[in-house]
Amino acid sequence: MRQHVTYPQDECLQPITFDEFQKRWRQMRDRHANPALRYFNQQNDAFKFCVLTLANRDHPKTFKANDVGEPFESFDECRRELIIEAMNKLARWGHTLPRQFSTADRVLPD
């Protein structure tokens, strides 16, 4: 006969929302397993400027010019979400653009 052992913490389990689950799961993960953090921090200041400017376009005055050099961890959760949304927009644009434009395209036909 097989017995199931119940632990005291099992009795304390409460249902949580999916948003709460996501937050708890992400907090338990290793920081370097976070692709948004890793990718944002690896980029240069020009990329960060574009991301923060795009985020400011949808949510004015959320980011300041001196935020450009800051790492992902220095922003609060709400602003990190805006950064992720802006990076996702840039990623979608990357699919619609060619890898590179020729500088010869500056010349237009008459």
Side-chain angles (χ1 to χ4, degrees), residues 33-41 72 80 83-84 87:
N34 183 328
L37 176 146
R38 201 173 58 247
Y39 189 78
F40 184 82
N41 287 348
F72 190 75
R80 288 194 301 263
I83 289 170
I84 290 170
M87 288 195 302

PDB file of all heavy atoms in Angstrom, residues 33-41 72 80 83-84 87:
ATOM      1  N   ALA A  33      19.522  34.708 -16.535  1.00  0.00           N
ATOM      2  CA  ALA A  33      18.591  33.939 -17.357  1.00  0.00           C
ATOM      3  C   ALA A  33      17.492  34.850 -17.914  1.00  0.00           C
ATOM      4  O   ALA A  33      16.662  34.407 -18.683  1.00  0.00           O
ATOM      5  CB  ALA A  33      17.969  32.810 -16.539  1.00  0.00           C
ATOM      6  N   ASN A  34      17.519  36.118 -17.553  1.00  0.00           N
ATOM      7  CA  ASN A  34      16.520  37.079 -18.015  1.00  0.00           C
ATOM      8  C   ASN A  34      16.998  37.690 -19.335  1.00  0.00           C
ATOM      9  O   ASN A  34      17.916  38.513 -19.342  1.00  0.00           O
ATOM     10  CB  ASN A  34      16.329  38.164 -16.960  1.00  0.00           C
ATOM     11  CG  ASN A  34      15.254  39.158 -17.313  1.00  0.00           C
ATOM     12  OD1 ASN A  34      15.030  39.445 -18.474  1.00  0.00           O
ATOM     13  ND2 ASN A  34      14.609  39.701 -16.304  1.00  0.00           N
ATOM     14  N   PRO A  35      16.388  37.312 -20.472  1.00  0.00           N
ATOM     15  CA  PRO A  35      16.882  37.812 -21.758  1.00  0.00           C
ATOM     16  C   PRO A  35      16.720  39.315 -21.934  1.00  0.00           C
ATOM     17  O   PRO A  35      17.563  39.954 -22.561  1.00  0.00           O
ATOM     18  CB  PRO A  35      16.059  37.050 -22.795  1.00  0.00           C
ATOM     19  CG  PRO A  35      15.001  36.332 -22.070  1.00  0.00           C
ATOM     20  CD  PRO A  35      15.305  36.367 -20.611  1.00  0.00           C
ATOM     21  N   ALA A  36      15.666  39.914 -21.396  1.00  0.00           N
ATOM     22  CA  ALA A  36      15.475  41.365 -21.540  1.00  0.00           C
ATOM     23  C   ALA A  36      16.589  42.113 -20.820  1.00  0.00           C
ATOM     24  O   ALA A  36      17.185  43.051 -21.369  1.00  0.00           O
ATOM     25  CB  ALA A  36      14.116  41.781 -21.001  1.00  0.00           C
ATOM     26  N   LEU A  37      16.888  41.699 -19.603  1.00  0.00           N
ATOM     27  CA  LEU A  37      17.973  42.322 -18.835  1.00  0.00           C
ATOM     28  C   LEU A  37      19.299  42.157 -19.559  1.00  0.00           C
ATOM     29  O   LEU A  37      20.038  43.119 -19.771  1.00  0.00           O
ATOM     30  CB  LEU A  37      18.042  41.681 -17.446  1.00  0.00           C
ATOM     31  CG  LEU A  37      19.170  42.135 -16.536  1.00  0.00           C
ATOM     32  CD1 LEU A  37      18.683  42.141 -15.091  1.00  0.00           C
ATOM     33  CD2 LEU A  37      20.379  41.239 -16.636  1.00  0.00           C
ATOM     34  N   ARG A  38      19.601  40.935 -19.967  1.00  0.00           N
ATOM     35  CA  ARG A  38      20.879  40.634 -20.613  1.00  0.00           C
ATOM     36  C   ARG A  38      21.042  41.412 -21.916  1.00  0.00           C
ATOM     37  O   ARG A  38      22.078  42.040 -22.157  1.00  0.00           O
ATOM     38  CB  ARG A  38      20.966  39.121 -20.848  1.00  0.00           C
ATOM     39  CG  ARG A  38      22.341  38.594 -21.032  1.00  0.00           C
ATOM     40  CD  ARG A  38      22.393  37.071 -21.095  1.00  0.00           C
ATOM     41  NE  ARG A  38      21.562  36.536 -22.176  1.00  0.00           N
ATOM     42  CZ  ARG A  38      20.459  35.811 -21.987  1.00  0.00           C
ATOM     43  NH1 ARG A  38      20.054  35.528 -20.779  1.00  0.00           N
ATOM     44  NH2 ARG A  38      19.764  35.363 -23.009  1.00  0.00           N
ATOM     45  N   TYR A  39      20.013  41.402 -22.758  1.00  0.00           N
ATOM     46  CA  TYR A  39      20.117  42.060 -24.058  1.00  0.00           C
ATOM     47  C   TYR A  39      20.223  43.577 -23.901  1.00  0.00           C
ATOM     48  O   TYR A  39      21.052  44.212 -24.547  1.00  0.00           O
ATOM     49  CB  TYR A  39      18.910  41.706 -24.931  1.00  0.00           C
ATOM     50  CG  TYR A  39      19.070  42.170 -26.350  1.00  0.00           C
ATOM     51  CD1 TYR A  39      19.856  41.466 -27.249  1.00  0.00           C
ATOM     52  CD2 TYR A  39      18.456  43.334 -26.789  1.00  0.00           C
ATOM     53  CE1 TYR A  39      20.016  41.902 -28.548  1.00  0.00           C
ATOM     54  CE2 TYR A  39      18.621  43.781 -28.089  1.00  0.00           C
ATOM     55  CZ  TYR A  39      19.398  43.063 -28.960  1.00  0.00           C
ATOM     56  OH  TYR A  39      19.571  43.505 -30.242  1.00  0.00           O
ATOM     57  N   PHE A  40      19.393  44.170 -23.046  1.00  0.00           N
ATOM     58  CA  PHE A  40      19.432  45.622 -22.850  1.00  0.00           C
ATOM     59  C   PHE A  40      20.804  46.051 -22.328  1.00  0.00           C
ATOM     60  O   PHE A  40      21.384  47.018 -22.823  1.00  0.00           O
ATOM     61  CB  PHE A  40      18.326  46.064 -21.886  1.00  0.00           C
ATOM     62  CG  PHE A  40      18.233  47.549 -21.712  1.00  0.00           C
ATOM     63  CD1 PHE A  40      17.563  48.326 -22.640  1.00  0.00           C
ATOM     64  CD2 PHE A  40      18.801  48.175 -20.615  1.00  0.00           C
ATOM     65  CE1 PHE A  40      17.467  49.699 -22.484  1.00  0.00           C
ATOM     66  CE2 PHE A  40      18.714  49.544 -20.448  1.00  0.00           C
ATOM     67  CZ  PHE A  40      18.044  50.317 -21.389  1.00  0.00           C
ATOM     68  N   ASN A  41      21.327  45.335 -21.352  1.00  0.00           N
ATOM     69  CA  ASN A  41      22.603  45.726 -20.751  1.00  0.00           C
ATOM     70  C   ASN A  41      23.788  45.535 -21.697  1.00  0.00           C
ATOM     71  O   ASN A  41      24.799  46.212 -21.554  1.00  0.00           O
ATOM     72  CB  ASN A  41      22.839  44.951 -19.452  1.00  0.00           C
ATOM     73  CG  ASN A  41      21.948  45.439 -18.329  1.00  0.00           C
ATOM     74  OD1 ASN A  41      21.315  46.482 -18.421  1.00  0.00           O
ATOM     75  ND2 ASN A  41      21.890  44.673 -17.256  1.00  0.00           N
ATOM     76  N   PHE A  72      19.511  47.863 -16.873  1.00  0.00           N
ATOM     77  CA  PHE A  72      18.099  47.458 -16.802  1.00  0.00           C
ATOM     78  C   PHE A  72      17.614  47.365 -15.361  1.00  0.00           C
ATOM     79  O   PHE A  72      16.494  47.749 -15.042  1.00  0.00           O
ATOM     80  CB  PHE A  72      17.965  46.107 -17.503  1.00  0.00           C
ATOM     81  CG  PHE A  72      16.559  45.656 -17.734  1.00  0.00           C
ATOM     82  CD1 PHE A  72      15.777  46.225 -18.725  1.00  0.00           C
ATOM     83  CD2 PHE A  72      16.016  44.633 -16.977  1.00  0.00           C
ATOM     84  CE1 PHE A  72      14.480  45.785 -18.962  1.00  0.00           C
ATOM     85  CE2 PHE A  72      14.723  44.180 -17.203  1.00  0.00           C
ATOM     86  CZ  PHE A  72      13.961  44.771 -18.190  1.00  0.00           C
ATOM     87  N   ARG A  80      10.606  49.090 -16.541  1.00  0.00           N
ATOM     88  CA  ARG A  80      11.194  47.939 -17.247  1.00  0.00           C
ATOM     89  C   ARG A  80      10.195  47.353 -18.235  1.00  0.00           C
ATOM     90  O   ARG A  80      10.565  46.926 -19.323  1.00  0.00           O
ATOM     91  CB  ARG A  80      11.655  46.876 -16.245  1.00  0.00           C
ATOM     92  CG  ARG A  80      12.895  47.269 -15.467  1.00  0.00           C
ATOM     93  CD  ARG A  80      13.524  46.101 -14.744  1.00  0.00           C
ATOM     94  NE  ARG A  80      12.636  45.465 -13.802  1.00  0.00           N
ATOM     95  CZ  ARG A  80      12.603  45.697 -12.491  1.00  0.00           C
ATOM     96  NH1 ARG A  80      13.426  46.573 -11.961  1.00  0.00           N
ATOM     97  NH2 ARG A  80      11.763  45.037 -11.717  1.00  0.00           N
ATOM     98  N   ILE A  83      10.300  49.469 -21.267  1.00  0.00           N
ATOM     99  CA  ILE A  83      11.527  49.189 -22.024  1.00  0.00           C
ATOM    100  C   ILE A  83      11.340  47.927 -22.861  1.00  0.00           C
ATOM    101  O   ILE A  83      11.704  47.884 -24.046  1.00  0.00           O
ATOM    102  CB  ILE A  83      12.733  49.051 -21.070  1.00  0.00           C
ATOM    103  CG1 ILE A  83      13.100  50.411 -20.485  1.00  0.00           C
ATOM    104  CG2 ILE A  83      13.933  48.426 -21.773  1.00  0.00           C
ATOM    105  CD1 ILE A  83      14.117  50.360 -19.359  1.00  0.00           C
ATOM    106  N   ILE A  84      10.755  46.894 -22.271  1.00  0.00           N
ATOM    107  CA  ILE A  84      10.526  45.640 -22.987  1.00  0.00           C
ATOM    108  C   ILE A  84       9.569  45.858 -24.157  1.00  0.00           C
ATOM    109  O   ILE A  84       9.801  45.358 -25.261  1.00  0.00           O
ATOM    110  CB  ILE A  84      10.008  44.554 -22.022  1.00  0.00           C
ATOM    111  CG1 ILE A  84      11.126  44.146 -21.071  1.00  0.00           C
ATOM    112  CG2 ILE A  84       9.483  43.348 -22.792  1.00  0.00           C
ATOM    113  CD1 ILE A  84      10.679  43.274 -19.920  1.00  0.00           C
ATOM    114  N   MET A  87      11.554  47.553 -26.892  1.00  0.00           N
ATOM    115  CA  MET A  87      12.483  46.627 -27.551  1.00  0.00           C
ATOM    116  C   MET A  87      11.719  45.668 -28.463  1.00  0.00           C
ATOM    117  O   MET A  87      12.207  45.320 -29.542  1.00  0.00           O
ATOM    118  CB  MET A  87      13.304  45.848 -26.521  1.00  0.00           C
ATOM    119  CG  MET A  87      14.350  46.691 -25.836  1.00  0.00           C
ATOM    120  SD  MET A  87      15.633  45.759 -24.942  1.00  0.00           S
ATOM    121  CE  MET A  87      14.690  44.800 -23.785  1.00  0.00           C
TER     122      MET A  87
END
